[in-house]
Amino acid sequence: MLLDYGLKGKVAVVTGGGGVLCGVISQALSQQGVKVAVLDIRKEAAEAQAERIKKLGGQAMALEADVLDPQSMNAAAEKVQRSFGAPDILINGAGGNRKEATTSSELSFFDLPHEAIKWVFELNCLGTIIPSQVFGKLMAERKAGVILCVSSMNAFRPLTRIPAYSAAKAAVSNFTQWLAVHMAQEYSPSIRVNAIAPGFFLTEQNRFLLLERDGELTPRGKTIIAHTPMGRFGDPKDLIGAVLFLVSDLSSFITGVVLPIDGGFSAFSGV
């Protein structure tokens, strides 16, 4: 039996909604009676996720949209309002890393292409700021709403090999706190901004770093598990409770926090 978080009839916009983690979040929101606009630069991924939600009995629409293009975000906002009404919730889920911005035995830090570093920074940082400007403005006009950003454990503990991604997610955490204060002080204390910081979740993007072809852990995967007190990788469903709590009125006095969902990784010193 599903817990009732009091979200029925709300409208949510989820950027990166066609991905694994935000796809699960989108489905969870829909099961609470939320109308979900699935935004993704990959049209097919957005449409597939919206169809899954509809098959589960929820309401969803798919929009091809680029979080780095203000015009694209404004166009998406108009379509959401026309079809579902004003957005109550924004999930800033678009983000990711790039192999070319990752150090390795073949590619040193000193040789990381500037274009790859820029790509990672823009996708994660600007890709959070621009949707917050567009949809946050609509919330400011109504003096109500919730913005939930997706940071990362890398923002707490910079990981080896991924300098651009770690720094970009640290920027997302800082921006979350800044925006929480700004929206509350300048527009309305009923506009809240928080973030989740997922630990290590197996996705298609990082599977090659964590698992060997035979399914055994890579050395990096073993190190992660050894430093995770709960002794496992996260399952996308592990995000649901925290997300629903933070976007609902159950957390009405919580703003400006970055919540680790990491199996204890950030709490463990290694000793």
Side-chain angles (χ1 to χ4, degrees):
M1 182 178 179
L2 289 174
L3 293 175
D4 184 359
Y5 285 82
L7 295 170
K8 187 174 182 179
K10 300 283 188 180
V11 175
V13 174
V14 184
T15 70
V20 175
L21 300 184
C22 284
V24 169
I25 289 172
S26 296
Q27 291 175 29
L29 288 168
S30 73
Q31 290 173 353
Q32 290 290 322
V34 177
K35 301 172 186 176
V36 182
V38 181
L39 275 59
D40 205 293
I41 197 169
R42 302 163 301 167
K43 181 181 180 181
E44 297 79 8
E47 291 176 343
Q49 191 55 250
E51 283 305 309
R52 291 190 195 99
I53 290 172
K54 291 176 183 177
K55 287 180 180 178
L56 292 170
Q59 296 184 68
M61 64 184 297
L63 293 173
E64 180 182 4
D66 183 355
V67 293
L68 296 178
D69 183 351
Q71 289 186 339
S72 178
M73 285 292 101
N74 280 311
E78 290 178 8
K79 292 176 182 176
V80 171
Q81 291 183 97
R82 191 162 53 243
S83 298
F84 285 165
D88 302 288
I89 300 165
L90 169 64
I91 309 286
N92 279 314
N97 193 25
R98 195 168 178 174
K99 185 178 181 180
E100 293 80 4
T102 303
T103 64
S104 66
S105 57
E106 293 80 31
L107 184 63
S108 76
F109 164 72
F110 309 107
D111 298 317
L112 291 178
H114 294 172
E115 193 59 40
I117 295 172
K118 180 181 178 182
W119 185 92
V120 173
F121 261 92
E122 289 187 345
L123 177 59
N124 292 281
C125 190
L126 274 181
T128 295
I129 293 175
I130 292 173
S132 296
Q133 289 180 308
V134 172
F135 292 98
K137 184 177 182 180
L138 300 177
M139 294 177 184
E141 291 170 353
R142 297 173 60 220
K143 297 190 180 302
V146 179
I147 297 174
L148 185 66
C149 301
V150 179
S151 183
S152 170
M153 190 43 47
N154 299 321
F156 288 83
R157 298 284 183 88
L159 303 181
T160 60
R161 299 180 57 186
I162 50 175
Y165 185 74
S166 293
K169 285 301 188 182
V172 170
S173 291
N174 186 281
F175 172 69
T176 296
Q177 294 175 313
W178 180 89
L179 187 62
V181 174
H182 182 72
M183 295 299 268
Q185 291 186 337
E186 300 293 330
Y187 298 100
S188 170
S190 294
I191 302 173
R192 299 185 298 106
V193 186
N194 293 298
I196 57 171
F200 299 92
F201 289 72
L202 272 178
T203 66
E204 292 308 312
Q205 185 182 33
N206 66 15
R207 187 174 296 271
F208 77 99
L209 285 171
L210 304 179
L211 294 179
E212 303 285 6
R213 291 184 179 180
D214 61 3
E216 292 296 315
L217 291 171
T218 62
R220 189 178 183 85
K222 291 177 181 177
T223 299
I224 289 168
I225 295 299
H227 286 77
T228 302
M230 294 185 73
R232 65 176 177 87
F233 294 121
D235 184 283
K237 292 181 180 179
D238 292 327
L239 299 176
I240 293 174
V243 169
L244 294 179
F245 169 69
L246 288 172
V247 301
S248 76
D249 287 342
L250 292 173
S251 59
S252 60
F253 198 52
I254 298 176
T255 195
V257 306
V258 182
L259 177 64
I261 308 174
D262 64 350
F265 183 91
S266 59
F268 184 40
S269 67
V271 178

